[in-house]
Amino acid sequence: MASIEKQIIWIHGDNLNPNSPAIQAAPSAPAVFVWDDAYLEKADISFKRILFIYESLLELPVTILRGQVDHEVANFAKAHNAQSILTTPSPSAGFTRYSQRLREQGFDIQIFEEDPFVIIPNTYHKRFSRYWKVAQKALVKDSAS
């Protein structure tokens, strides 16, 4: 009898989507989100953003923890006898660092790409309003097709 590899899902602030490809890949796998206290202390994150993240998490089947992200994700995986951690990508340097530390502990990190919300030209926009002007045009064009 072949053994079934146990998995967990690592939810992070850059993908709070209940239709995340990581969740879709293993819908019955336990999921975890970790509030990174050290990051929250040094980062300039508004209370509104924190509240948005929290309210989004309440819509997901996820265990919410606090502490050092890689440590808490590893402990959660061990508690569920999981060697595989499913997640989605993040541009955050912290995500890259935590993923590397988890790999060094022997965990298999599987990163599932998500379809982009909108495809726009590869230009850098410093402000969301500039990005949104370009994105809106692309969305309107896509919906007219």
Side-chain angles (χ1 to χ4, degrees), residues 20-31:
S20 156
I23 294 172
Q24 298 301 313
S28 62

Side-chain angles (χ1 to χ4, degrees), residues 1-143:
M1 183 165 110
S3 66
I4 297 174
E5 183 178 329
K6 294 193 176 185
Q7 305 167 317
I8 66 158
I9 300 168
W10 171 21
I11 304 292
H12 53 75
D14 289 326
N15 190 339
L16 301 166
N17 181 356
N19 296 315
S20 156
I23 294 172
Q24 298 301 313
S28 62
V32 64
F33 176 90
V34 181
W35 287 109
D36 185 345
D37 289 333
Y39 175 74
L40 289 173
E41 284 180 21
K42 70 178 180 181
D44 186 24
I45 299 177
S46 72
F47 178 73
K48 285 183 179 182
R49 176 70 179 156
I50 292 170
L51 183 60
F52 169 78
I53 292 170
Y54 180 69
E55 287 177 338
S56 297
L57 290 169
L58 293 177
E59 300 294 321
L60 297 171
V62 63
T63 299
I64 303 170
L65 303 173
R66 287 178 64 182
Q68 185 178 332
V69 176
D70 54 317
H71 178 76
E72 296 299 328
V73 171
N75 285 343
F76 187 82
K78 290 173 188 173
H80 290 87
N81 298 315
Q83 277 304 117
S84 189
I85 299 171
L86 285 52
T87 191
T88 53
S90 169
S92 163
F95 175 83
T96 302
R97 188 173 51 253
Y98 299 141
S99 296
Q100 182 58 36
R101 289 180 190 163
L102 289 164
R103 283 186 180 102
E104 289 169 0
Q105 294 180 54
F107 292 103
D108 174 35
I109 309 296
Q110 297 178 32
I111 300 175
F112 291 81
E113 295 288 336
E114 188 161 32
D115 290 335
F117 173 65
V118 63
I119 298 172
I120 61 171
N122 190 15
T123 56
Y124 181 74
H125 300 280
K126 288 185 178 182
R127 298 201 173 273
F128 179 76
S129 60
R130 291 182 190 148
Y131 161 81
W132 189 241
K133 283 181 185 177
V134 175
Q136 272 184 312
K137 289 177 187 172
L139 284 171
V140 170
K141 185 176 86 178
D142 287 347
S143 66

